[in-house]
Amino acid sequence: MIKADVLVIGSGISGLSYAIKVSEQLPDAKIIIVTKSDEDESNTKYAQGGLAVVTDSKNDNFNKHIEDTMRAGDGENKRDVVEMVVTEAPKRFREIVEWGANFDMKNGEFALGREGGHTENRIVHHKDITGFEIERALLQTAKSSPNIEILDHHYVIDIITQHHVPGKETERRRHPLLRRLYFG
Ligand SMILES: Cc1cc2nc3c(=O)[nH]c(=O)nc-3n(C[C@H](O)[C@H](O)[C@H](O)COP(=O)(O)OP(=O)(O)OC[C@H]3O[C@@H](n4cnc5c(N)ncnc54)[C@H](O)[C@@H]3O)c2cc1C
């Protein structure tokens, strides 16, 4: 039987970045990533254009990005979610850079593209293979973490939790390592 403290399903940007963060915060936890195909197979790998993020504080700001996003969503999007995503984006982007992803530069600044719906240049990118570069860097970082193991060609069919097992206690229990992650 294979045991892990933290099981991550999927090796795209979500799964890899989560695994790397947990590994940094809980170096003594054993983290296993299971992924159904080759380890780099994901939507992430095929994303081309880039990431929309406010990095140019001279010409751009969070309000502009929020209003562009609301307009592009024709008001259907939830403003509080849009605000959270837009204001968190620079921090999340910096993490990806720290984990080794390269982005195109111009005169010492990020080279910014513009995409539909945006009123400012705010798309950071790596040529037109941004997702490929992010996947490469995150996989490399995950593989260099001694407490992350990747099991490729492992397909998750179902998740059986405590409350599925007859006779086992049904009270919600949190693994002590995760309690430390969430509550310090
Ligand atoms: C062609 C294309 C272009 C895009 N361009 C852009 C862009 O320019 N900018 C942008 O921001 N976004 C773009 N996107 C969207 C972006 O790629 C996704 O939103 C993002 O990659 C999602 O990341 P993720 O980690 O959530 O999912 P994914 O990258 O899809 O990762 C999911 C992982 O889960 C694994 N998995 C799924 N089911 C199972 C299972 N049952 N068992 C085990 N493993 C499983 C998969 O194999 C995969 O590794 C584009 C997407 C595509 C396809």
Side-chain angles (χ1 to χ4, degrees), residues 9-16 34-52 115 123 130-131 135 154-157:
I9 300 162
S11 53
I13 191 172
S14 313
L16 289 173
V34 292
T35 193
K36 66 181 178 184
S37 184
D38 292 345
E39 59 189 14
D40 70 341
E41 189 56 32
S42 57
N43 286 300
T44 302
K45 179 169 94 166
Y46 298 103
Q48 295 175 299
L51 311 174
E115 288 185 346
I123 311 297
T130 308
E135 182 71 25
H154 282 62
Y155 201 108
V156 174
I157 298 167

Side-chain angles (χ1 to χ4, degrees), residues 13-180:
I13 191 172
S14 313
L16 289 173
S17 56
Y18 179 74
I20 294 167
K21 270 188 204 186
V22 175
S23 140
E24 285 173 350
Q25 291 179 37
L26 299 175
D28 46 348
K30 181 173 179 190
I31 302 153
I32 291 184
I33 302 174
V34 292
T35 193
K36 66 181 178 184
S37 184
D38 292 345
E39 59 189 14
D40 70 341
E41 189 56 32
S42 57
N43 286 300
T44 302
K45 179 169 94 166
Y46 298 103
Q48 295 175 299
L51 311 174
V53 52
V54 175
T55 58
D56 171 13
S57 54
K58 264 185 270 158
N59 300 303
D60 202 3
N61 59 51
F62 289 149
N63 279 341
K64 283 187 191 176
H65 192 181
I66 289 166
E67 291 316 317
D68 287 352
T69 309
M70 294 304 295
R71 197 177 323 105
D74 200 20
E76 291 294 317
N77 27 17
K78 291 198 167 127
R79 179 170 281 274
D80 56 340
V81 175
V82 171
E83 287 174 359
M84 183 272 287
V85 171
V86 166
T87 56
E88 282 287 311
K91 281 181 258 170
R92 303 287 79 84
F93 170 58
R94 270 197 299 277
E95 278 171 352
I96 294 172
V97 172
E98 280 163 19
W99 291 330
N102 296 301
F103 288 84
D104 291 358
M105 306 292 289
K106 193 176 176 187
N107 302 327
E109 309 279 346
F110 290 109
L112 301 177
R114 187 179 299 200
E115 288 185 346
H118 295 279
T119 57
E120 294 293 345
N121 294 358
R122 61 170 73 100
I123 311 297
V124 292
H125 56 97
H126 177 95
K127 304 186 179 77
D128 67 345
I129 51 165
T130 308
F132 186 90
E133 170 60 10
I134 292 173
E135 182 71 25
R136 180 204 64 75
L138 267 54
L139 260 181
Q140 194 176 52
T141 303
K143 287 168 138 187
S144 68
S145 309
N147 57 339
I148 297 180
E149 185 181 356
I150 301 177
L151 301 178
D152 60 2
H153 296 277
H154 282 62
Y155 201 108
V156 174
I157 298 167
D158 205 352
I159 296 177
I160 301 167
T161 59
Q162 194 80 6
H163 74 279
H164 292 107
V165 183
K168 292 276 180 184
E169 54 182 287
T170 53
E171 130 201 24
R172 280 172 66 96
R173 289 191 307 178
R174 215 184 277 278
H175 191 289
L177 283 169
L178 290 185
R179 215 176 291 135
R180 240 170 64 209

